């Protein structure tokens, strides 16, 4: 690596906002209020590369529980790519999650590099783009998540993530310019979704449901809370054929793919009930 002044440091909360701006520039379209929910997962799991006292590279390498981690926000400033700065940052961050199963959502250009690093593809994701909707007649079983016992939501969400994440979830469903809805039936939560304002339009993330019908009802109710002129995005795991069918029948168009990859045994998730991912940055 030819840059003698290159330094790698832990990332502060304010510098995470810089990394999120870089993610927006890359076209990943992060949410307007993602900063606090993301940073709260693992404040020691964000790293930044500095050159001559200026930030030039970032990576999130956060811990989940005692056995898992997730990598995201892996970005090097474009003029400085292909000089080893990203690799040095990657290697330094790995110490934070040593010995854990690691996941990431890799863009096409990086997937071969991740494979060489021991990551294997678990499934592909496709980002779909649609629009806000007219007001719909909402089923009475579609309710605000704030009206439900939070422990029911945390228990339901645990099926879609390697370990429970209640602190993150509590922050995620309370972001400004967002709406969080659940399907409450017979005293049980049978699906939920969140739509939040992003740099471009809104993103429906996550969307989880026990049946395609519940997923469709939640999708339509959430999109009805988005202005008609605004785009709505959703990252769909293509291993769930019902999720792909939902996106297409709702008139969404495919934009770009990513691949969920793991180094180590892929966790057993309820993929048949997962219609939209939460984030590409932290899983």
């Amino acid at each position: 690596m030819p840059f003698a002044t290159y330094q790698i440091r832990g990332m502060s909360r304010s510098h995470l906002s810089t990394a999120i701006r870089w993610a927006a520039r890359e076209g990943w379209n992060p949410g307007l209020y993602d900063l606090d929910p993301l940073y709260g997962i693992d404040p020691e799991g964000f790293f930044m590369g500095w050159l001559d006292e200026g930030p030039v590279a970032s990576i999130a390498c956060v811990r989940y529980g005692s056995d898992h981690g997730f990598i995201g926000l892996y970005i090097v400033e474009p003029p400085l790519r292909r000089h080893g700065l990203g690799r040095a940052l990657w290697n330094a961050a790995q110490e934070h999650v040593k010995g854990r199963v690691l996941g990431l959502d890799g863009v096409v250009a990086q997937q071969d590099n991740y494979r060489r690093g021991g990551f294997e593809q678990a499934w592909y994701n496709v980002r779909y783009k649609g629009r806000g909707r007219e007001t719909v007649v909402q089923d009475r079983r579609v309710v605000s998540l704030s009206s439900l016992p939070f422990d029911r939501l945390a228990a339901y969400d645990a099926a879609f993530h390697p370990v429970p994440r209640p602190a993150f979830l509590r922050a995620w469903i309370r972001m400004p310019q967002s709406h969080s809805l659940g399907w409450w039936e017979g005293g049980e939560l049978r699906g939920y979704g969140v739509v939040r304002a992003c740099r471009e339009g809104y993103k429906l993330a996550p969307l989880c449901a026990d049946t395609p019908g519940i997923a469709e009802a939640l999708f339509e109710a959430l999109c009805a809370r988005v202005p008609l002129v605004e785009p709505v995005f959703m990252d769909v795991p293509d291993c769930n054929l019902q999720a792909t069918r939902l996106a297409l029948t709702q008139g969404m168009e495919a934009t770009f793919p990513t691949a969920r990859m793991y180094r180590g045994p892929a966790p057993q998730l309820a993929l048949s009930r997962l219609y939209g991912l939460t984030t590409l940055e932290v899983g």
Side-chain angles (χ1 to χ4, degrees), residues 256-274:
F256 70 87
T258 56
R260 173 62 60 90
M261 308 177 79
Y262 290 98
R263 190 172 69 197
Q268 298 301 304
L269 308 179
L271 293 172
S272 65
R273 296 189 286 134
L274 180 61

Side-chain angles (χ1 to χ4, degrees), residues 168-188:
F168 168 81
L169 192 60
R170 193 183 297 274
W172 194 253
I173 66 173
R174 296 178 176 179
M175 286 184 289
Q177 292 182 246
S178 71
H179 301 276
S180 304
L181 301 176
W183 181 280
W184 186 254
E185 182 177 2
E188 297 293 336

Side-chain angles (χ1 to χ4, degrees), residues 18 91 116 171 177 212 233 252:
T18 298
N91 291 339
R116 285 192 287 270
Q177 292 182 246
F233 300 90
M252 303 184 90

Side-chain angles (χ1 to χ4, degrees), residues 15-27:
H15 288 128
L16 177 55
S17 65
T18 298
I20 291 174
R21 286 198 302 272
W22 290 348
R25 181 191 62 199
E26 294 293 316

Side-chain angles (χ1 to χ4, degrees), residues 209-227:
D210 289 356
T211 70
I214 292 173
E216 182 179 26
L218 288 170
F219 179 98
E220 291 181 348
L222 287 162
C223 287
R225 285 157 170 79
V226 174

Side-chain angles (χ1 to χ4, degrees), residues 148-167:
L148 302 179
F150 178 76
D151 62 336
R152 299 291 187 91
L153 172 60
Y156 188 84
D157 181 71
F160 308 100
H161 203 259
V163 298
R165 49 179 182 174

